[in-house]
Amino acid sequence: MFEVYKKELKELLRDKKTLMFVVALPVLIFPIIFAVMAFISSQAALEADQKVNTYVIINGEYAPEFTNKVFYHKSFELYKGSKTFNTIEELKAGVTAGDIDMGIYLPSNAEDTLNSGEQSKWEVVFNDAKSINFLFDRVKELAQEYSDVLQAKKLKSFGIEESTHKAILTPIEVVKVDTADKRENLGEKIGGFLPYLLIPLVLMGATYPAIDLGAGEKERGTLETLLLTPITRTELVLGKFITLLTTSIASTTITVVSMGCWVAVALAFADLDFIKTAFSTLAVTDLLMIFVLLLPLAAIFSSLALAISIYARTFKEAQNYMAPLSMGVFFPIIISIMPNMELTAKTAFIPVTNVALAIKDIIKGTVDYTFVGLIFLATALIAGALLGFCVKWFNREDVLFR
């Protein structure tokens, strides 16, 4: 068995494609991809924040203080074109045509309507389809400032002291007292996405070498030579299985170490005190626990990938069979990030989902070690059953020589 393991491992290490998938991708390409994505996202947000938007205000004389604030705001520029805008429909047409970025319609004088006991409803016309858009929030903020001034004037006309305005307008203030620490808060936000990186890498570390160890052997005609050696088929399968398990865990380990190094470098050069404080309590034992949970999961993926590869006639056919397996792995990961999905005695027995939920709880620092034990036991039992199936599958002549 170990002779087969050494042989297969040497052949994989000689394959440049394998080294690229197992070593190069985790060390360089994936961190670069995430860095580029973060840079593009930050640049998009920065551009949206700094963009100067052309606007038109209809009936601006009803609120001159508000109109002046918009005019002198750094994010807005008054439209200076030849077109005229007098109605909401004309504002909509102007925004759609790209003549203006925003239109504000003031139907009445807010101060007069307040005196008559009515509310003035201002309408902001803009295209809200963009994912990053600060237009409405900024106009709403300026309008709220003007609204607060009108409120203060009205209350003062009633003889109410300014010091009591806040108490009258908001007699009850609800204050949030969060029992979650910084690590738990941040872990809830990003902990659910970490399995999106780790679990597919565990799968990828097994699938590509598996295609070569099964279908590749068939295509090259070397499988018959292996079957003629004085090694039982069970030992042959186990040797190949341990090889896949090694590459799968190696890919994951390299990724975790690489990402850790890149994050450490980023934190050293960036002012991210919140993240530093949040994850200062993340111990080495937590990372080891994640690693231990990924071990039986890697065994499951290795068994499935090897069984599929042995069944396939050619390298290309094996690649086609691996695609549904990859899609099938993402579905339970998606379940783990659905609202109100938590690690319980029931979810601890759902394959892949249980590991994803456990990783999130470990990052949050709220993991229940009893559930971790249940997850490891359940995943190990499934891995053992699949390995047994793989051994029987390999002993069938109609599978090996189809």
Side-chain angles (χ1 to χ4, degrees):
M1 178 178 71
F2 288 105
E3 291 299 321
V4 175
Y5 170 68
K6 287 190 291 184
K7 166 197 168 292
E8 300 291 1
L9 195 60
K10 285 180 181 178
E11 289 183 358
L12 287 176
L13 291 175
R14 291 188 188 123
D15 186 2
K16 292 181 180 179
K17 291 182 180 179
T18 302
L19 291 177
M20 184 186 72
F21 275 93
V22 177
V23 180
L25 281 176
V27 171
L28 293 175
I29 298 179
F30 279 118
I32 290 174
I33 289 174
F34 283 109
V36 170
M37 288 175 60
F39 175 75
I40 292 174
S41 299
S42 62
Q43 285 297 113
L46 184 62
E47 287 178 8
D49 182 58
Q50 295 179 344
K51 182 183 177 183
V52 178
N53 301 279
T54 306
Y55 75 94
V56 168
I57 297 182
I58 298 177
N59 300 326
E61 65 275 9
Y62 288 159
E65 297 90 342
F66 169 76
T67 303
N68 287 334
K69 284 187 176 183
V70 176
F71 180 80
Y72 289 109
H73 196 283
K74 64 177 182 179
S75 299
F76 302 120
E77 181 182 13
L78 185 64
Y79 173 69
K80 299 175 182 177
S82 58
K83 288 187 177 181
T84 58
F85 301 91
N86 299 302
T87 64
I88 285 288
E89 295 305 320
E90 289 178 354
L91 289 177
K92 289 180 180 178
V95 171
T96 302
D99 297 322
I100 56 174
D101 296 314
M102 174 186 67
I104 303 173
Y105 181 72
L106 311 183
S108 59
N109 189 310
E111 191 167 1
D112 293 341
T113 54
L114 178 60
N115 291 332
S116 60
E118 297 177 1
Q119 187 181 49
S120 180
K121 294 183 180 179
W122 295 359
E123 297 178 78
V124 181
V125 180
F126 69 105
N127 186 346
D128 198 26
K130 296 180 180 179
S131 57
I132 303 176
N133 204 322
F134 301 104
L135 276 175
F136 185 75
D137 290 336
R138 284 172 178 164
V139 173
K140 189 176 180 181
E141 182 181 349
L142 295 175
Q144 185 62 48
E145 291 176 5
Y146 180 64
S147 178
D148 292 341
V149 172
L150 294 182
Q151 280 182 346
K153 286 182 179 179
K154 193 64 177 176
L155 291 172
K156 192 173 181 179
S157 68
F158 291 150
I160 300 173
E161 295 294 332
E162 189 174 349
S163 59
T164 60
H165 288 182
K166 188 174 182 180
I168 292 173
L169 294 173
T170 312
I172 298 175
E173 181 183 6
V174 180
V175 180
K176 181 175 70 173
V177 180
D178 192 359
T179 59
D181 57 19
K182 292 181 179 179
R183 174 180 170 180
E184 187 175 347
N185 272 321
L186 195 59
E188 178 65 30
K189 293 178 177 65
I190 68 172
F193 294 96
L194 190 59
Y196 265 107
L197 172 65
L198 293 178
I199 295 177
L201 279 174
V202 174
L203 177 64
M204 189 183 71
T207 51
Y208 183 80
I211 294 172
D212 187 66
L213 266 60
E217 293 273 14
K218 282 186 177 182
E219 204 166 33
R220 291 191 300 269
T222 56
L223 182 61
E224 291 83 352
T225 306
L226 282 175
L227 295 173
L228 291 173
T229 58
I231 301 174
T232 64
R233 292 192 179 183
T234 300
E235 290 176 331
L236 188 58
V237 173
L238 290 177
K240 290 179 177 291
F241 167 77
I242 295 173
T243 305
L244 295 181
L245 188 63
T246 301
T247 57
S248 179
I249 294 300
S251 177
T252 308
T253 304
I254 292 170
T255 302
V256 173
V257 174
S258 173
M259 291 299 292
C261 293
W262 281 99
V263 169
V265 171
L267 291 176
F269 290 96
D271 186 16
L272 300 172
D273 292 334
F274 174 75
I275 298 178
K276 290 179 182 178
T277 304
F279 288 109
S280 60
T281 56
L282 188 65
V284 177
T285 53
D286 295 324
L287 298 177
L288 288 175
M289 197 183 307
I290 294 175
F291 181 79
V292 169
L293 286 173
L294 291 175
L295 279 173
L297 196 62
I300 289 176
F301 293 155
S302 298
S303 300
L304 286 172
L306 186 58
I308 291 172
S309 182
I310 290 170
Y311 179 76
R313 293 188 183 94
T314 62
F315 196 94
K316 186 176 181 180
E317 185 179 338
Q319 286 181 317
N320 293 333
Y321 290 152
M322 294 299 177
L325 176 61
S326 301
M327 295 298 296
V329 168
F330 276 102
F331 180 69
I333 300 177
I334 293 172
I335 293 176
S336 69
I337 63 171
M338 292 178 67
N340 296 326
M341 278 298 296
E342 296 180 354
L343 185 58
T344 63
K346 291 182 179 179
T347 56
F349 289 95
I350 303 176
V352 183
T353 299
N354 52 8
V355 175
L357 289 171
I359 291 174
K360 182 172 73 172
D361 281 359
I362 290 171
I363 298 298
K364 289 168 58 179
T366 59
V367 67
D368 188 328
Y369 296 104
T370 304
F371 292 148
V372 173
L374 287 175
I375 293 170
F376 185 85
L377 178 63
T379 315
L381 288 174
I382 295 172
L386 287 174
L387 181 58
F389 167 76
C390 192
V391 171
K392 288 187 176 181
W393 195 242
F394 199 86
N395 279 279
R396 291 178 56 175
E397 299 291 332
D398 58 330
V399 172
L400 290 179
F401 303 106
R402 56 186 290 272

